[in-house]
Amino acid sequence: MNPSAEYALVKVPEVTLGFWLIKIAATTLGETGGDAVSMSMNLDYSVATGIFAVAFLVAVNAQIRAKALYPFRYWATIIATTTIGTTLADFADRSLGIGYTGGSALLLALVLLSLFLWYRSMGTVAVASVHSPKAAAFYWVTIMFSQTLGTALGDWMADTAGLGFSGTAMVFAGLLALVAAAYFWSRLSRTLLFWMAFILTCPLGVALGDFLDRPVTVGGLALSRYWASTVLLVFILAFILVDQVIGHLDRAFNPD
């Protein structure tokens, strides 16, 4: 089977700059959207988590059953993981009382455990291998834990470490730049670098989301969570459409 035909079986997008821009926006939307339901609607974190858990399970089931990649369905599932990640992390950190440090440590262990079990079961955790229901299930469980970890890490850096939202965003943006540099100028495993970048985009998006909707007194812009979420959603939809158009044009002019 040639590489292009093999990749056609993969149910995740090609990892490009556009992928990372949409991923950061989706994580930011997960923070503002999750806070809109749990905080603006004054729902308990457990209730909000239950609501988003249903959306997550429905979306993941659709992804696992899909026979090919459907970009809008894929990114809807990513957003589902970011929203449940936000409320689940807040539930662990605040409602369970284990704090940001304890929550981050617990979630890091869950991410590593998920990757370990995935590798032991499939022999690889590479994104290009996600074309079977079993691999897709591992992929989405790992993503859900990584999104939750990102929320806990972002809150820990901003609050416990005292860096604030802008400081936290700059730290994780800098770490992402180092990962990008390693991708271009080192021989480190591309799979390792992907998962490092994927996890690091989570606290970056969380910090950006908090910066948009938190009160000015704590370093935020105090924007409406509903409006911020709407703008982010429109941006994501527009960028997916643009990415699709570019992809179709590229295939039209470069059929091989």
Side-chain angles (χ1 to χ4, degrees):
M1 182 180 292
N2 62 59
S4 59
E6 185 176 4
Y7 193 83
L9 299 174
V10 180
K11 295 187 288 184
V12 299
E14 188 176 357
V15 181
T16 62
L17 177 61
F19 174 92
W20 293 115
L21 291 176
I22 299 173
K23 170 60 171 61
I24 293 171
T27 305
T28 307
L29 172 59
E31 182 68 13
T32 59
D35 286 348
V37 173
S38 62
M39 295 181 180
S40 297
M41 294 183 182
N42 295 315
L43 296 178
D44 186 84
Y45 290 123
S46 60
V47 174
T49 299
I51 293 172
F52 289 126
V54 172
F56 168 74
L57 291 174
V58 170
V60 168
N61 181 63
Q63 271 294 116
I64 292 175
R65 293 167 64 89
K67 301 301 182 182
L69 168 64
Y70 301 99
F72 288 100
R73 183 185 298 180
Y74 173 86
W75 287 110
T77 309
I78 286 288
I79 292 172
T81 67
T82 65
T83 48
I84 189 176
T86 294
T87 56
L88 185 59
D90 288 340
F91 175 73
D93 296 340
R94 301 168 187 174
S95 297
L96 295 182
I98 61 178
Y100 297 129
T101 304
S104 298
L106 172 62
L107 291 163
L108 177 59
L110 290 174
V111 171
L112 295 176
L113 177 62
S114 178
L115 287 169
F116 173 75
L117 293 176
W118 182 2
Y119 185 82
R120 284 293 301 271
S121 178
M122 307 295 295
T124 179
V125 294
V127 174
S129 70
V130 183
H131 48 70
S132 69
K134 187 175 183 180
F138 276 118
Y139 176 80
W140 287 109
V141 168
T142 304
I143 283 181
M144 190 270 289
F145 283 142
S146 69
Q147 303 282 27
T148 310
L149 170 62
T151 299
L153 277 176
D155 289 340
W156 180 80
M157 291 287 287
D159 296 333
T160 304
L163 294 181
F165 308 128
S166 58
T168 298
M170 287 189 290
V171 167
F172 285 106
L175 291 174
L176 277 171
L178 292 177
V179 173
Y183 177 85
F184 289 109
W185 296 303
S186 81
R187 296 184 179 181
L188 287 176
S189 165
R190 293 325 189 223
T191 299
L192 172 63
L193 292 174
F194 169 83
W195 286 110
M196 289 176 64
F198 198 95
I199 292 173
L200 289 173
T201 57
C202 300
L204 173 60
V206 167
L208 293 174
D210 284 338
F211 176 69
L212 291 175
D213 65 27
R214 294 303 171 88
V216 176
T217 53
V218 295
L221 295 179
L223 299 179
S224 164
R225 293 187 178 102
Y226 302 114
W227 278 109
S229 299
T230 300
V231 170
L232 287 164
L233 181 59
V234 170
F235 171 84
I236 291 170
L237 293 174
F239 215 102
I240 293 173
L241 285 173
V242 169
D243 197 48
Q244 287 296 290
V245 170
I246 292 174
H248 285 308
L249 290 174
D250 182 63
R251 286 189 291 272
F253 287 104
N254 300 284
D256 294 332

